Amino acid sequence: MTAHSGAGGDADATLETGAIDLSEIAGPFDLQSTLESGQSYLWNRPDGRMYESIDVHGGDAWYRTVVPPIDGVVDEDVFVRVRQRDGALEWEATADPVPALRHLLRLDDDLNEIYAAAPDDDVFARAFDEYRGMRLVRDPPFPCLVSFICSAQMRVSRIHGMQMALAEAFGEPREIGGKTVHAFPTPERLAAREEAELRELKLGYRAPYVRKTAEMVASGEAHPDEAVGLDYEDARESLTRFVGVGDKVADCVLLFSLGYLEAVPLDTWIRGAIADRFPECDRGNYTETSRALRERLGGEYAGYVQTYLFHYLRAGGEA
């Protein structure tokens, strides 16, 4: 990590600044495809162009978020903005964000090893080449859970817009450089809202699901991180306790928050790939199809392969 004096976006001179030398991490890294590939809806671009297009990679835009406390990583909210430029991940933050960035962006993953472990298949190779450096995210569990409850039958730009609206309406405000930014609402804040207030933010039929899930977490009835440490399919079952969470949403939370890199969410794009390219994996139900596809995609890192395949196909790549 090195300090730098340059700033951009909506920079504030009072923020701490620094950079992570990307030559020091294992394998390539690409910030834009990592944050705009449909994995996370908790970051935003100050230029207003988040999720503006589908086929994204290699950009140098600024991204910002408020990182909540994460056990063993950060003890308090940290506002951070980050961009990738000249072989470095430049950051500006209210406190040292390096531990949080390493955690959230999985900078400790050995991406070359993950590529090498993937089954030999030309569609995987094309996806890896097209979006080289894309990593999985590790979002905080509760915001991730809410994001994917909101994802049903929604374009990624709409899902992102919902999460930004929730933060602006109900999240803790922070004054940064003369501008107000909002953290994602805590479970307690969301549980205190009326369903009608959530519907006003265009959550539609998802509004009662979000409110009830927030109540479950706020009251201590259940928490998504209780799945951690369980065998994969047991962990998926644990998450389906939450209202509005089926197997696919549970798999998304396992993969994009809780570190289950073998999880393979069976969304529309992946089901299309099964029909077109891996018909032998279609076993007629979610559990058995998931098992078969997980094995076909390499087992331990199947979720990585799935995410590359999802982004590649969604951007128009050929299966």
Side-chain angles (χ1 to χ4, degrees):
M1 183 185 74
T2 57
H4 73 87
S5 57
D10 50 355
D12 173 14
T14 64
L15 295 175
E16 296 182 28
T17 64
I20 297 172
D21 184 348
L22 293 174
S23 69
E24 297 175 357
I25 71 172
F29 178 74
D30 183 72
L31 181 64
Q32 184 173 26
S33 59
T34 298
L35 294 183
E36 293 196 60
S37 53
Q39 303 181 55
S40 178
Y41 302 98
L42 305 177
W43 295 78
N44 204 11
R45 287 175 53 163
D47 64 7
R49 300 180 66 182
M50 190 77 178
Y51 282 118
E52 182 179 76
S53 59
I54 294 175
D55 181 21
V56 294
H57 56 91
D60 62 358
W62 285 94
Y63 296 85
R64 66 186 180 195
T65 193
V66 178
V67 184
I70 301 171
D71 287 346
V73 181
V74 290
D75 296 329
E76 60 184 358
D77 284 358
V78 177
F79 169 82
V80 59
R81 53 178 160 245
V82 63
R83 70 174 171 185
Q84 182 175 353
R85 193 173 66 164
D86 299 331
L89 200 57
E90 300 179 357
W91 55 261
E92 302 170 346
T94 51
D96 178 12
V98 172
L101 290 172
R102 288 193 176 278
H103 178 86
L104 296 172
L105 303 177
R106 301 195 67 96
L107 298 183
D108 293 329
D109 286 353
D110 187 336
L111 208 50
N112 289 328
E113 176 186 310
I114 290 168
Y115 290 155
D120 185 14
D121 190 301
D122 61 335
V123 72
F124 303 156
R126 292 197 302 271
F128 292 154
D129 287 345
E130 188 72 20
Y131 299 107
R132 189 163 182 80
M134 182 175 74
R135 290 173 182 250
L136 293 183
V137 298
R138 184 158 42 199
D139 275 347
F142 177 71
C144 181
L145 179 62
V146 171
S147 295
F148 283 99
I149 288 174
C150 292
S151 70
Q153 301 177 331
M154 278 289 166
R155 301 188 309 275
V156 291
S157 59
R158 288 286 305 279
I159 304 165
H160 177 257
M162 286 181 183
Q163 307 323 300
M164 295 300 101
L166 284 170
E168 185 171 342
F170 308 127
E172 186 74 31
R174 300 282 301 274
E175 293 299 322
I176 307 292
K179 297 183 179 180
T180 302
V181 296
H182 294 83
F184 193 82
T186 62
E188 293 77 14
R189 278 178 168 259
L190 276 185
R193 312 320 304 183
E194 297 294 333
E195 181 184 323
E197 294 178 277
L198 300 180
R199 287 184 178 274
E200 287 176 5
L201 300 181
K202 297 183 169 45
L203 268 65
Y205 69 85
R206 306 157 195 83
Y209 301 163
V210 168
R211 186 173 185 273
K212 179 57 180 174
T213 289
E215 287 178 346
M216 292 173 72
V217 178
S219 69
E221 178 183 345
H223 196 287
D225 63 13
E226 291 168 354
V228 175
L230 299 176
D231 289 341
Y232 164 54
E233 292 188 2
D234 291 337
R236 186 170 65 201
E237 183 67 23
S238 172
L239 290 174
T240 61
R241 293 177 295 167
F242 293 99
V243 181
V245 177
D247 289 333
K248 194 268 282 190
V249 168
D251 268 335
C252 289
V253 177
L254 292 176
L255 183 59
F256 302 133
S257 177
L258 301 181
Y260 285 79
L261 302 186
E262 68 269 46
V264 284
L266 301 184
D267 70 346
T268 301
W269 292 101
I270 297 304
R271 288 187 181 277
I274 292 171
D276 294 341
R277 193 167 185 108
F278 314 117
E280 73 280 3
C281 294
D282 187 352
R283 303 299 169 84
N285 64 72
Y286 192 101
T287 297
E288 294 298 330
T289 300
S290 174
R291 287 175 183 164
L293 185 64
R294 194 159 69 248
E295 182 176 350
R296 179 66 182 83
L297 300 186
E300 181 181 4
Y301 299 123
Y304 250 107
V305 180
Q306 181 268 350
T307 302
Y308 271 86
L309 192 59
F310 168 84
H311 193 41
Y312 174 74
L313 295 175
R314 195 171 65 90
E318 293 185 5

